[in-house]
Amino acid sequence: NAGVTQTPKFQVLKTGQSMTLQCAQDMNHEYMSWYRQDPGMGLRLIHYSVGAGITDQGEVPNGYNVSRSTTEDFPLRLLSAAPSQTSVYFCASRKQGMNTEAFFGQGTRLTVV
Amino acid sequence: EDKVVQSPLSLVVHEGDTVTLNCSYEVTNFRSLLWYKQEKKAPTFLFMLTSSGIEKKSGRLSSILDKKELFSILNITATQTGDSAVYLCAVDSNYQLIWGAGTKLIIKP
């Protein structure tokens, strides 16, 4: 019953470092997305994918890259970390189509110093 | 621009009280409205509403949608300390989920 698996749970980076947040789902969901959550701001969409090989930008894409080579995996890459990227990151997946709920990973708390 | 607004942003009540959380929306292509509960970790799904006037209920929690006035409410009766959480509302518009900022609910013993 894995659902959406997100790693790591915590990460501290120095300004300018790069890293990849991993996300995998085992529900065969077409739609996957990455959000960041900052205090008082709800969930903001970074990037999303509607299927393998297809990605698109969300509301706050700058400084992040994604790829979707398989249905299961949707990694998020921080190219050159900045303190403004300190946040909690969530990966989510949904079955494509109307009236489907989103399932979330457990989140990654990222601090950039 | 699509937007979802939740109110109040925070609420403190005593155990046993009843609370009503609000979610209003303006979106281009409404498909459904979803409520989630978020404790320390990931949001967990509560309800999905698609039709006006039909109440969804789960134990002490219930929710209803008004598509004419573009809002939904989440009611929690006989609140318990375990209900303390952030409650998030999201609207599915053109297959994208548009999220509100959340209501932080604190239940005092």
Side-chain angles (χ1 to χ4, degrees):
Chain A
N1 238 20
V4 180
T5 303
Q6 199 179 322
T7 57
K9 289 184 181 176
F10 302 95
Q11 183 72 48
V12 178
L13 287 179
K14 292 183 179 177
T15 297
Q17 285 186 316
S18 63
M19 79 158 294
T20 299
L21 307 185
Q22 301 291 343
C23 177
Q25 52 94 7
D26 62 358
M27 297 173 282
N28 204 31
H29 286 170
E30 298 90 347
Y31 189 98
M32 295 184 76
S33 51
W34 276 102
Y35 295 94
R36 60 178 289 173
Q37 187 175 36
D38 302 295
M41 298 193 75
L43 291 163
R44 291 189 291 168
L45 183 64
I46 305 171
H47 284 285
Y48 66 97
S49 168
V50 298
I54 306 168
T55 63
D56 206 346
Q57 296 181 352
E59 180 187 354
V60 288
N62 292 341
Y64 309 94
N65 267 356
V66 292
S67 59
R68 184 99 180 266
S69 56
T70 66
T71 299
E72 294 78 20
D73 299 298
F74 190 45
L76 176 74
R77 277 181 287 279
L78 279 72
L79 309 171
S80 177
S84 60
Q85 293 178 304
T86 294
S87 188
V88 179
Y89 291 84
F90 288 102
C91 177
S93 76
R94 291 176 83 189
K95 184 118 185 86
Q96 191 75 334
M98 287 183 65
N99 305 335
T100 59
E101 68 191 83
F103 294 83
F104 284 85
Q106 287 303 299
T108 297
R109 184 173 293 275
L110 175 69
T111 302
V112 183
V113 297
Chain B
E1 183 186 340
D2 291 347
K3 67 178 179 181
V4 175
V5 178
Q6 292 186 246
S7 63
L9 291 181
S10 64
L11 186 58
V12 181
V13 300
H14 286 98
E15 211 169 12
D17 288 350
T18 293
V19 298
T20 298
L21 310 183
N22 303 292
C23 176
S24 64
Y25 60 91
E26 292 178 31
V27 299
T28 51
N29 191 10
F30 178 91
R31 297 185 183 275
S32 62
L33 185 145
L34 299 89
W35 284 97
Y36 282 78
K37 178 182 182 181
Q38 185 177 26
E39 296 174 88
K40 299 240 183 243
K41 296 183 179 177
T44 54
F45 175 74
L46 293 174
F47 298 113
M48 179 183 295
L49 302 154
T50 57
S51 302
S52 270
I54 297 176
E55 187 182 51
K56 291 281 183 94
K57 204 167 166 64
S58 175
R60 296 175 294 101
L61 278 66
S62 64
S63 184
I64 198 158
L65 174 68
D66 186 329
K67 288 171 76 173
K68 183 179 175 188
E69 300 297 329
L70 308 183
F71 77 92
S72 172
I73 60 171
L74 175 68
N75 276 325
I76 309 175
T77 59
T79 51
Q80 302 171 357
T81 54
D83 296 325
S84 294
V86 174
Y87 290 83
L88 296 167
C89 170
V91 174
D92 186 337
S93 173
N94 293 322
Y95 301 111
Q96 298 281 8
L97 289 179
I98 314 298
W99 294 86
T103 294
K104 183 174 183 177
L105 177 64
I106 297 172
I107 311 295
K108 287 189 169 182

